């Protein structure tokens, strides 16, 4: 077994000389019977905007603090050790800001070893160890508690998670071994793999408690006092902690491997086989059913070292920085002070998309929202849908009864256009046809305020042409959501040559208030996401029309790492929509975008994939396969991938030359947030650089330097 105490960890200190150190402050808390609890408080001295993080200097200091407490416990000076954090924050995990600068795999391996060395000291005090999770706990912040004997949690903790798989890593400071042995394999699979892959879902405090990750839960008002009192009871032997989710022999013999096998099949169907971290996490969880904790830690060391030094993690750090930094400071955004106030929203349309918009606006902006449509029956149906969705939020406990009543009262429907007169923001969600949208805006302009902003959710039409009949086209902006509206974090804000700064600023500020990330794009076919996906679907259909079976096409595209194969993507967006997207792009760029008559035939047929009763894909529908048969020049998987990569490199390079967005980073951000492009791939441009497509097509790379792993 590795003796962590003999490892020299100082090479890690040179990686980030400017690390914001989270210090460990100790004070003694008297308990009953003359006993003492040593309370360690983690605090980096910054406010809530800079959470505690666990960099090398932080961990080494914490290790020395733990060593001193071990000595005190041996002398009988203390009878328990507890760790907590600064107000509302325990720790946001490892400090990843400089991990990309690690010079070698050997140095990379020191990071998991240091975490195991320091956090593992909590098992060596010789007295009970506790962690009082008083707020935010992510990654290593959760693993501090997992390495302790007992854990409490503040009921108001809003974010508790092991997000490592989302970032291309694994929980490498004990989480992959300790958690399944604490709460069972199925629960651990949910926390370590399923939740990160569901838009990085986090646990609330009550969920962590119910799973058994925390032994006790207390209200915020007296959280620390209650936790100390509880710890006193444990130390005194008056409180016995019960852990019903700890796996027994039956689970280890029967359920464990089966649960891992089911999870593996789920991953293969959802994300393919390219991302490494979910599968390494699965391997670690499978192995955790037996062996010692020390063996589990060594497996984590090896797995994390492999991931940290690889291409996928370097790409993940690039993607993480895009989402955390660039998305919050959008390129080309006007001064926020120019934004107009939005005190009432008008939604033109009452169908599914329009109703989703209305629900999002009323929830996030808390302003009156009025919807309209061609007749009262459609309006009533839209309002009823919104009210039903509010009721579901109430049932799930995500809003209070008072809030539900307020939201319902803010939503109204009408066929009277004059009730849009005092709306500051009017967005349309009508049929995707240019003349229809032109007619709608021309009609409503006569009713609304001269200051009101007009927004269109078009995904493929020219925003400038949509506003061609407006008296004031300068107040029109594209505001392209992705479905499902409540979940997808991207909005493409489309600026026409006429859009003024106040309108653009209002759109960007409104997107932020909706808790969406906005990227400004030029008014060009497909904007960013749909233009890239049109290239993907076009190449797929070109190969199919030439005689390549759909399953071969799907396999050929797999290394790109898209969240779903071309056949599944077509099924998701709809065959008619897919055909429309290809037609639109072929009309704009006939020499570069393929137009497929077979796709129109498939749209008329109505089905591409055969599914079972639970909606799971069984394969290509036989009738659909017959429709696309007949090609005589099938492509190999190698040809498919090469043509796709070169086609994407060419198209994205043209988009940047035409200033569709400000930089390659904005295209990557759009693909990550709007198309689910995996963090592990880092965005489309780093991928195209790594595989050589950029050099082949335009003799340069998108990123300088190219984003690669370390040796």
């Amino acid at each position: 077994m590795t003796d962590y105490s003999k490892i020299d960890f100082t090479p890690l200190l040179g990686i980030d000389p400017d690390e914001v150190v989270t210090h460990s402050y100790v004070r003694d808390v008297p308990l009953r019977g003359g006993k003492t609890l040593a309370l360690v408080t983690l605090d980096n001295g910054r406010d809530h905007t800079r959470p505690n993080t666990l960099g090398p200097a932080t961990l080494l200091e914490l290790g020395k603090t733990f060593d001193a407490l071990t000595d005190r416990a041996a002398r009988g000076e203390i009878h328990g050790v507890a760790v907590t954090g600064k107000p509302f924050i325990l720790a946001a995990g490892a400090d990843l800001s400089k991990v990309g600068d690690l010079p070698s795999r050997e140095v990379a391996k020191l990071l998991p070893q240091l975490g195991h060395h320091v956090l593992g000291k909590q098992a060596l005090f010789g007295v009970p160890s506790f962690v009082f999770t008083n707020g935010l706990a992510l990654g290593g912040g959760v693993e501090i508690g997992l390495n302790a004997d007992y854990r409490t949690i503040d009921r108001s903790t809003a974010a508790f998670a092991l997000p490592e798989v989302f970032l291309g890593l694994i929980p490498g400071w004990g989480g992959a071994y300790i958690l399944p042995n604490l709460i069972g394999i199925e629960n651990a699979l949910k926390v370590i793999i399923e939740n990160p892959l569901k838009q990085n879902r986090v646990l609330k405090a009550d969920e962590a408690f119910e799973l058994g990750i925390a032994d006790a839960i207390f209200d915020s008002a007296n959280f620390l006092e209650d936790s100390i009192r509880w710890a006193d009871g444990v130390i005194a032997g008056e409180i016995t902690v019960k852990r019903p989710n700890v796996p027994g022999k039956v689970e280890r013999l029967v359920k464990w491997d089966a649960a891992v096998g089911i999870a593996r099949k789920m991953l293969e169907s959802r994300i393919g086989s390219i991302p490494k971290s979910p599968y390494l996490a699965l391997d670690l969880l499978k192995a955790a059913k037996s062996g010692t904790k020390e063996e589990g830690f060594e497996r984590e060391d090896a797995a994390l070292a492999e991931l940290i030094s690889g291409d996928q993690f370097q790409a993940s750090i690039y993607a993480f920085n895009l989402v955390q930094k660039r998305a919050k400071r959008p390129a080309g955004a006007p001064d926020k002070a120019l934004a107009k106030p939005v005190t009432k929203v008008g939604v033109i349309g009452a169908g599914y998309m329009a109703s989703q918009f209305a629900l999002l606006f009323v929830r996030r902006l808390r302003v009156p929202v009025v919807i309209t449509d061609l007749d009262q029956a459609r309006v009533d149906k839209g309002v009823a849908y919104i009210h039903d969705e509010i009721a579901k939020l109430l049932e799930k406990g995500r809003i209070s009864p008072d809030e539900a009543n307020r939201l319902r009262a803010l939503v109204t429907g009408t066929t009277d256009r004059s009730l849009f007169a005092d709306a500051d923001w009017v967005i349309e969600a009508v049929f995707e046809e240019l003349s229809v949208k032109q007619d709608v805006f021309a009609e409503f302009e006569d009713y609304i305020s001269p200051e009101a902003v007009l927004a269109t959710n078009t995904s493929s039409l020219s925003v400038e042409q949509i506003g061609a009949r407006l008296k004031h086209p300068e107040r029109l902006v594209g505001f392209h959501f992705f479905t499902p509206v409540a979940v997808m974090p991207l909005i493409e804000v489309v600026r026409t040559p006429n859009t003024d700064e106040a309108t653009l600023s209002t759109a960007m500020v409104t997107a932020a208030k909706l808790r969406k990330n906005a990227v400004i794009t030029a008014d060009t076919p497909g904007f960013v996401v749909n233009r890239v996906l049109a290239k993907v679907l076009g190449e797929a259909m070109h190969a199919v029309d030439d005689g390549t079976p759909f399953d071969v096409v799907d396999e050929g595209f797999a290394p790109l790492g898209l969240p779903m194969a071309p056949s599944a993507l077509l099924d998701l967006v709809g065959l008619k929509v897919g055909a429309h997207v290809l037609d639109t792009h072929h009309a704009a760029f006939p020499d570069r975008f393929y137009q497929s008559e077979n796709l129109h035939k498939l749209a008329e047929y109505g089905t591409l994939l055969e599914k079972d009763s639970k909606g799971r894909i069984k394969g290509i529908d036989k009738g659909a396969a017959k429709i696309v048969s007949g090609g005589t020049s099938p492509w190999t998987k190698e040809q498919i991938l090469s043509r796709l990569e070169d086609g994407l490199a060419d198209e994205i390079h043209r988009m940047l030359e035409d200033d569709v967005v400000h930089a390659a980073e904005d295209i990557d951000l759009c693909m990550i947030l709007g198309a689910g492009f995996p963090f592990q791939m880092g965005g489309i441009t780093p991928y195209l650089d790594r595989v050589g497509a950029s050099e082949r097509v335009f003799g340069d790379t998108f990123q300088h330097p190219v984003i690669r792993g370390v040796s």
Side-chain angles (χ1 to χ4, degrees), residues 264-284:
R264 190 176 299 277
K265 290 180 180 178
M266 179 273 292
L267 285 177
E268 290 170 350
S269 65
R270 281 189 54 200
I271 65 171
S273 59
I274 302 302
K276 294 180 180 178
S277 62
Y279 293 100
L280 274 176
L282 267 185
D283 293 340
L284 291 172

Side-chain angles (χ1 to χ4, degrees), residues 239-299:
I239 294 176
T240 301
V241 175
K242 296 180 180 179
R243 293 173 177 157
N245 290 334
V246 171
K249 289 184 179 180
V250 173
E251 177 170 343
R252 295 182 189 280
L253 290 173
V254 179
K255 291 176 61 177
W256 201 289
D257 288 350
V260 172
I262 291 169
R264 190 176 299 277
K265 290 180 180 178
M266 179 273 292
L267 285 177
E268 290 170 350
S269 65
R270 281 189 54 200
I271 65 171
S273 59
I274 302 302
K276 294 180 180 178
S277 62
Y279 293 100
L280 274 176
L282 267 185
D283 293 340
L284 291 172
L285 288 169
K286 181 177 182 179
K289 77 171 181 177
S290 59
T292 65
K293 181 171 69 174
E294 290 74 22
E295 290 170 339
F297 285 6
E298 287 195 341
R299 289 192 294 266

Side-chain angles (χ1 to χ4, degrees), residues 178-258:
I178 298 172
L179 192 67
N181 285 293
L182 178 67
I183 65 173
I185 185 61
E186 291 179 338
N187 290 330
L189 286 165
K190 175 183 176 182
V191 175
I192 291 176
I193 296 178
E194 291 179 32
N195 284 353
L197 296 179
K198 289 180 178 178
Q199 296 290 326
N200 213 10
R201 185 184 181 277
V202 299
L203 299 174
K204 299 282 181 65
D206 58 348
E207 293 175 301
F209 174 62
E210 289 169 9
L211 285 171
I213 305 176
D215 298 311
I217 185 169
F218 301 112
D219 292 334
S220 299
N222 297 296
F223 172 72
L224 185 57
E225 293 85 349
D226 288 342
S227 293
I228 291 171
R229 190 177 302 110
W230 184 84
D232 191 358
V234 172
I235 292 170
E238 299 167 356
I239 294 176
T240 301
V241 175
K242 296 180 180 179
R243 293 173 177 157
N245 290 334
V246 171
K249 289 184 179 180
V250 173
E251 177 170 343
R252 295 182 189 280
L253 290 173
V254 179
K255 291 176 61 177
W256 201 289
D257 288 350

Side-chain angles (χ1 to χ4, degrees), residues 344-350 354 369-375 379 412-431 435-456 466-467 469-472 475-476:
K344 181 178 178 179
V345 171
V347 180
I348 305 174
V369 175
V370 57
I371 68 173
T372 190
D373 213 309
L374 296 174
D375 54 57
V379 171
T412 58
T414 184
T415 56
D416 184 353
R417 308 298 195 243
S418 68
L419 295 182
F420 277 62
D422 56 345
D424 308 296
W425 176 279
V426 177
I427 184 169
E428 64 79 18
V430 299
F431 189 67
S435 61
V436 174
K437 293 181 186 288
Q438 287 177 332
D439 290 344
V440 161
F441 274 145
E443 176 189 353
F444 273 82
E445 192 174 26
D446 291 334
Y447 291 95
I448 63 175
S449 159
E451 299 298 317
V453 170
L454 293 173
T456 172
I466 289 172
R469 292 170 52 194
L470 290 173
K471 302 183 184 79
H472 297 284
R475 59 167 163 178
L476 176 64

